[in-house]
Amino acid sequence: MSYCDYCNDLDENNIHRIYHDEVYGQKCRDDQELFGRLILEINQAGLSWSTILKKSESIRSAYANFNIEQIAAFDETKINTLMNDTGIIRHRGKIEAIIHNAQRIVKIQQQYLSFFHWIEEKGEITLEEWIKVFKKSFKFVGKEIVKEFLMGTGFIEGAHESTCPMYKKLIP
């Protein structure tokens, strides 16, 4: 059995290995989990993925268990609370972008019934087209954030090498 290069030598209890085997690349259909994955990707910008994985439960808790409607209603008081939370990434621009993006997803849900359906409706478009769509719709979403979000949630290929057992598991 061969794993993706970065997992080859990792113990089965390593946070990267667990994420790789249990989450990364698997099709996500739940809007709150989808948004949670976008939140994690936004927080990762400029930081290591290890930092994000270690803080992921604190991030989930601080962001209302990724409840889109609750996050969309965050106000300045909540922003200040988040800025003082040492368990998360305390970057005002990222926090404000996450709130803005939640507000956008609420509107998307009203029009398309779900964030998942909005993504699915786009069909098979190129990564460059995805980046344009995301930049038009959301804040703090560059090329790498969009690519990793879409690969990590199973909307585009590339999450696993063809020799990885997870790759074979994810083939429909």
Side-chain angles (χ1 to χ4, degrees), residues 74-169:
F74 283 5
D75 59 12
E76 191 63 32
T77 301
K78 184 62 176 179
I79 292 171
N80 290 331
T81 300
L82 292 170
M83 289 295 295
N84 289 307
D85 186 340
T86 59
I88 68 167
I89 307 305
R90 297 177 294 168
H91 183 289
R92 188 174 191 88
K94 292 178 182 184
I95 293 168
E96 290 175 348
I98 289 165
I99 296 166
H100 167 83
N101 294 346
Q103 293 165 349
R104 288 286 300 133
I105 291 173
V106 167
K107 290 178 182 175
I108 286 169
Q109 289 172 324
Q110 291 168 352
Q111 186 175 358
Y112 294 89
L113 302 177
S114 75
F115 184 34
F116 171 78
H117 286 123
W118 179 81
I119 296 171
E120 278 275 297
E121 183 202 62
K122 306 294 180 249
E124 304 237 350
I125 62 176
T126 66
L127 178 58
E128 290 74 27
E129 292 169 316
W130 274 117
I131 293 165
K132 287 178 186 174
V133 167
F134 269 71
K135 283 188 170 199
K136 184 179 177 184
S137 303
F138 304 113
K139 290 185 177 180
F140 220 105
V141 289
K143 178 182 178 180
E144 287 303 309
I145 290 171
V146 173
K147 180 180 87 174
E148 283 299 323
F149 169 74
L150 292 170
M151 279 193 323
T153 54
F155 287 99
I156 63 172
E157 288 192 30
H160 300 283
E161 296 171 13
S162 62
T163 57
C164 176
M166 296 303 114
Y167 178 85
K168 291 169 180 65
K169 178 181 171 185

Side-chain angles (χ1 to χ4, degrees), residues 29-70:
R29 290 177 166 78
D30 180 81
D31 278 10
Q32 291 188 170
E33 286 305 310
L34 275 172
F35 186 52
R37 300 283 282 288
L38 185 59
I39 289 171
L40 295 178
E41 293 297 343
I42 289 169
N43 275 285
Q44 191 272 330
L47 302 170
S48 73
W49 191 240
S50 292
T51 299
I52 301 309
L53 290 177
K54 289 174 186 171
K55 291 182 176 269
S56 64
E57 287 308 312
S58 294
I59 292 169
R60 177 183 288 277
S61 177
Y63 286 98
N65 201 33
F66 304 145
N67 183 294
I68 297 163
E69 293 79 17
Q70 286 182 29

Side-chain angles (χ1 to χ4, degrees), residues 1-12 17 20 161 163-165:
M1 208 185 302
S2 176
Y3 274 86
C4 294
D5 283 343
Y6 72 96
C7 283
N8 269 337
D9 299 322
L10 298 179
D11 177 89
E12 64 185 28
R17 175 76 177 269
H20 171 273
E161 296 171 13
T163 57
C164 176

